[in-house]
Amino acid sequence: MTNALAPTPALTARRSPIGMMRAAIGLDAAPAADMHRPGKAPVASAAAATDPGAQTGFTIPPDRLRWLNKATFGFSTPLDAEFLGLPGATMDAKWQSWLDQQFNPAAIADTDCTNRIAAGGFSTLNKTLPQLWSQHVVSDYYTRMLPAYETECATIIRAVYSKRQLFERMVNFWHDHFSVFGFDYDIAPVLVHYDRDVIRPNAFGNFRTMLEQVATSTAMQLYLDNYASRGADFNENYARELIELHTLGVGNYFGPNPPFDVPCLTSTIHCPGSVPAGYVDNDVYEAAAALTGWTIKNGYWQYPNDNDGSFVYRADWHDRRNKIFLGLYIPPNNQPAMSDGRAVFDRLVAHPGTAKFIAGKMCRRFIGDDVSQALVNAVALDFSNHVSAPDQIARMLRTILVSSEFKNAWGLGMKRPFEMTMAGLRGLQANFHPRPDNTSAWTLTERFVSQMQICGHRSFSWNPPNGYPDRQSAWASTGALAMTLKMLSWLPEMRVNNDSSSAFVSDIVAQTASAFPTASARTAGAIMGYWCDRLLGYRPEPTYGVVTSFLQQNASASEPINIDNDAWGGGNTLKGHYTQQRLRTAVGMILMSSDNFRR
């Protein structure tokens, strides 16, 4: 008996559109070592020889496009023009100039982005923590969530329009690393403070400084419950994630073994004496005890007048017994306030495992899933050698971005849905003004963030404490890809008021007509070449050929495409509304192409 629900052979495995996308990106194809040779096609997998849906090669973009795509939220022609205008006789020299500029974000004029945020009507972004606490820790749901909504909108605006692209990418990285669920009922009122006063000031700064500021932030205190940890009844939630996710990483976990069973590392300049290779559960408990009394002013019954949401150390809530953490003896009693908690942070930051864990994550974010241990070690050495430097993180990042591995790699990673969407808006030069709206109407912003939620990558919406994953396998399932493709196909159709009568956020037809003022020059090849250049910076095959054929339909290659009116023409001449819609769809196809997914 035939199963009516069985897929047809033409749509099974990688012959399906999404399967071909997976193969084209490289998820089911060549080994990583063969996927990133500039100027060469990757080695095909064995399956590619028999599967016509498996692509065996792809066009490698020019150097500057690879670099800019990985270091920003996406290519755009204004970004490219600015890069080419920088000092330097070679692309390598211009890259150094661009990095020098980007590592000094305060000196970059960011007028367009600043004006868009100022025009957004946001009411919470400049409120102090006490103001956020008193005005938004309320029962009205919209008022309570408003700081989170506005932080999300400002994040989108900055990703699309800010010229401080490298800085924004690092802010995004640290929000994943020190992740909190921003739309939690307790955290949403103070998310503005977490983003503005904790993550952003430290994005290029010192890891140890950021680590303590995260620990004492109201958002993290509430998210991982350290605000309620006191005395012998300590709460281990934050201490466990501090070690497992924020510093040493789970790869350095030695299980529930006795502490002294952990093998020792050799002595290093920053870790004198005998240092255990990793941590055990007992280290988590000792760290939790060391951090008791680190809490917030939340009107607790013992301190009813302390209620502004700020951090406070309660000495009478602190576990004052002696502790042993990662082999470090922390003496009991009569110690300065917060000293044993800070000793825990110092010990973690000095541990070589933390340096390698942070370095590995940074390399993966900016290069791809498979990076050499040699580069990770070099970046970890920067971490350790500059452990007290105010620009420690910037030094690490520069090492990554000037490495031959970064410069040569392509196709080792896949853009995540948020990055794909921001890149699409940047390439389209869309005029998008996201803002929260407490009305009954289904607004464009609501639809936009809802689509991002469906893609699984709405800002500040990852519930577990490990942050959004950055390995491509996490985003390469059929469901995740399908929702991302749906989002990308919608971008050229977005309208300001989310209805068919309002203006397009990016008017594809008008921009095409402006690029080709002479109607006779509007061949399918010329039009789609223009849009490949706009969105990707180059014309990769087979993407360029596919979208050209789609727009051309029955017309000849030299025949102009009429996009000027809404009438339907006869013969082979394609006119009017139908061609205009086909043009928007073709632009969406470029956004959905495997070439656009690669990084």
Side-chain angles (χ1 to χ4, degrees):
M1 182 175 179
T2 302
N3 182 356
L5 296 180
T8 62
L11 291 177
T12 57
R14 288 178 293 151
R15 293 186 178 89
S16 69
I18 292 176
M20 287 188 286
M21 171 73 73
R22 287 175 56 87
I25 295 170
L27 294 171
D28 304 317
D34 295 317
M35 289 177 60
H36 66 287
R37 299 174 298 163
K40 300 180 181 179
V43 176
S45 66
T50 57
D51 186 349
Q55 186 173 328
T56 59
F58 52 78
T59 307
I60 305 296
D63 290 349
R64 73 183 193 281
L65 302 185
R66 297 197 307 274
W67 305 342
L68 291 172
N69 262 299
K70 290 183 288 186
T72 72
F73 277 107
F75 171 84
S76 71
T77 49
L79 172 66
D80 194 38
E82 290 172 6
F83 180 86
L84 292 174
L86 289 171
T90 65
M91 288 300 158
D92 280 320
K94 291 181 183 294
W95 181 241
Q96 290 287 355
S97 296
W98 188 81
L99 291 179
D100 290 343
Q101 182 187 75
Q102 290 291 309
F103 277 119
N104 187 15
I108 300 174
D110 213 12
T111 307
D112 182 37
C113 179
T114 301
N115 288 345
R116 286 175 180 272
I117 292 177
F122 303 120
S123 62
T124 71
L125 297 184
N126 294 319
K127 288 183 178 180
T128 65
L129 175 58
Q131 287 173 329
L132 291 167
W133 189 263
S134 64
Q135 297 172 23
H136 295 278
V137 181
V138 295
S139 59
D140 178 73
Y141 186 77
Y142 178 80
T143 301
R144 193 174 186 107
M145 293 290 136
L146 186 59
Y149 293 143
E150 293 196 344
T151 302
E152 176 183 32
C153 290
T155 295
I156 294 168
I157 292 171
R158 289 175 176 131
V160 177
Y161 299 106
S162 177
K163 292 183 181 295
R164 301 164 182 169
Q165 281 288 297
L166 186 59
F167 175 77
E168 294 301 330
R169 286 276 279 151
M170 280 308 291
V171 169
N172 179 264
F173 173 84
W174 291 121
H175 268 298
D176 280 341
H177 185 77
F178 293 112
S179 181
V180 299
F181 179 33
F183 289 92
D184 179 270
Y185 189 74
D186 290 327
I187 297 168
V190 297
L191 188 64
V192 163
H193 168 257
Y194 189 63
D195 176 69
R196 182 193 64 207
D197 301 332
V198 179
I199 298 297
R200 301 182 71 81
N202 293 296
F204 282 161
N206 181 270
F207 183 78
R208 171 64 180 82
T209 299
M210 178 160 53
L211 188 65
E212 185 167 332
Q213 289 188 14
V214 167
T216 57
S217 70
T218 312
M220 188 62 74
Q221 284 275 327
L222 291 168
Y223 182 52
L224 292 177
D225 305 310
N226 204 72
Y227 77 99
S229 188
R230 47 190 176 268
D233 296 323
F234 56 78
N235 185 302
E236 70 176 79
N237 287 356
Y238 171 68
R240 184 167 294 279
E241 308 310 349
L242 165 69
I243 305 172
E244 181 176 311
L245 298 177
H246 299 169
T247 53
L248 284 176
V250 69
N252 289 300
Y253 177 51
F254 282 78
N257 296 304
F260 299 108
D261 285 355
V262 178
C264 291
L265 297 173
T266 57
S267 176
T268 70
I269 187 171
H270 294 295
C271 297
S274 179
V275 179
Y279 69 99
V280 295
D281 285 341
N282 190 70
D283 291 303
V284 174
Y285 308 146
E286 297 289 75
L291 292 165
T292 51
W294 294 45
T295 186
I296 58 174
K297 298 177 181 178
N298 63 345
Y300 187 74
W301 66 268
Q302 282 183 288
Y303 304 95
N305 296 325
D306 286 353
N307 194 21
D308 64 4
S310 63
F311 174 79
V312 64
Y313 174 69
R314 306 279 189 208
D316 54 329
W317 288 9
H318 184 62
D319 183 343
R320 303 185 67 83
R321 65 178 174 81
N322 66 302
K323 306 167 186 73
I324 298 178
F325 177 73
L326 292 179
L328 175 69
Y329 176 68
I330 303 175
N333 302 320
N334 304 318
Q335 297 298 310
M338 303 168 63
S339 63
D340 47 358
R342 285 174 171 152
V344 165
F345 291 144
D346 292 342
R347 190 69 162 174
L348 287 168
V349 170
H351 197 287
T354 296
K356 290 185 179 180
F357 180 63
I358 302 301
K361 289 189 71 172
M362 288 177 62
C363 288
R364 190 160 61 246
R365 176 61 61 92
F366 284 92
I367 296 178
D369 286 6
D370 297 293
V371 293
S372 71
Q373 191 59 50
L375 179 59
V376 172
N377 290 345
V379 178
L381 189 62
D382 277 333
F383 182 101
S384 297
N385 285 345
H386 305 287
V387 72
S388 300
D391 61 344
Q392 175 196 26
I393 295 165
R395 289 171 184 260
M396 297 169 66
L397 183 55
R398 186 181 284 272
T399 295
I400 295 170
L401 299 181
V402 300
S403 69
S404 60
E405 193 161 344
F406 171 85
K407 288 184 173 181
N408 292 332
W410 187 249
L412 291 185
M414 184 179 82
K415 296 173 188 171
R416 303 181 300 173
F418 181 82
E419 292 146 9
M420 287 293 296
T421 305
M422 298 303 106
L425 292 172
R426 285 171 58 77
L428 292 171
Q429 295 176 32
N431 189 23
F432 183 34
H433 295 275
R435 55 173 62 90
D437 190 353
N438 190 23
T439 68
S440 59
W442 182 241
T443 66
L444 177 63
T445 301
E446 287 177 310
R447 181 179 177 187
F448 184 89
V449 298
S450 176
Q451 289 293 120
M452 291 305 305
Q453 185 82 45
I454 293 171
C455 289
H457 205 195
R458 182 179 179 181
S459 296
F460 314 118
S461 296
W462 186 257
N463 205 325
N466 58 344
Y468 281 113
D470 57 2
R471 293 189 182 276
Q472 63 181 9
S473 58
W475 304 99
S477 69
T478 299
L481 278 175
M483 293 302 101
T484 304
L485 293 173
K486 182 178 180 180
M487 180 71 173
L488 295 172
S489 70
W490 173 56
L491 295 185
E493 309 286 344
M494 287 172 58
R495 291 179 179 266
V496 174
N497 293 321
N498 201 36
D499 62 64
S500 59
S501 63
S502 64
F504 286 98
V505 168
S506 180
D507 195 329
I508 306 300
V509 175
Q511 292 178 56
T512 304
S514 177
F516 298 93
T518 303
S520 61
R522 298 172 186 168
T523 64
I527 290 173
M528 297 323 298
Y530 164 76
W531 279 106
C532 281
D533 293 344
R534 272 278 303 273
L535 299 175
L536 304 177
Y538 68 118
R539 302 179 184 187
E541 291 292 353
T543 296
Y544 172 60
V546 169
V547 295
T548 297
S549 296
F550 176 81
L551 182 64
Q552 184 176 318
Q553 294 292 296
N554 295 323
S556 66
S558 60
E559 187 174 351
I561 305 297
N562 189 330
I563 60 172
D564 287 334
N565 55 62
D566 290 338
W568 176 256
N572 288 335
T573 303
L574 299 174
K575 296 181 177 180
H577 171 75
Y578 301 97
T579 308
Q580 292 176 357
Q581 184 57 44
R582 185 176 289 112
L583 172 58
R584 295 187 190 97
T585 301
V587 170
M589 290 169 66
I590 298 173
L591 293 175
M592 293 186 287
S593 69
S594 58
D595 296 288
N596 196 33
F597 270 81
R598 292 190 187 96
R599 66 174 179 88

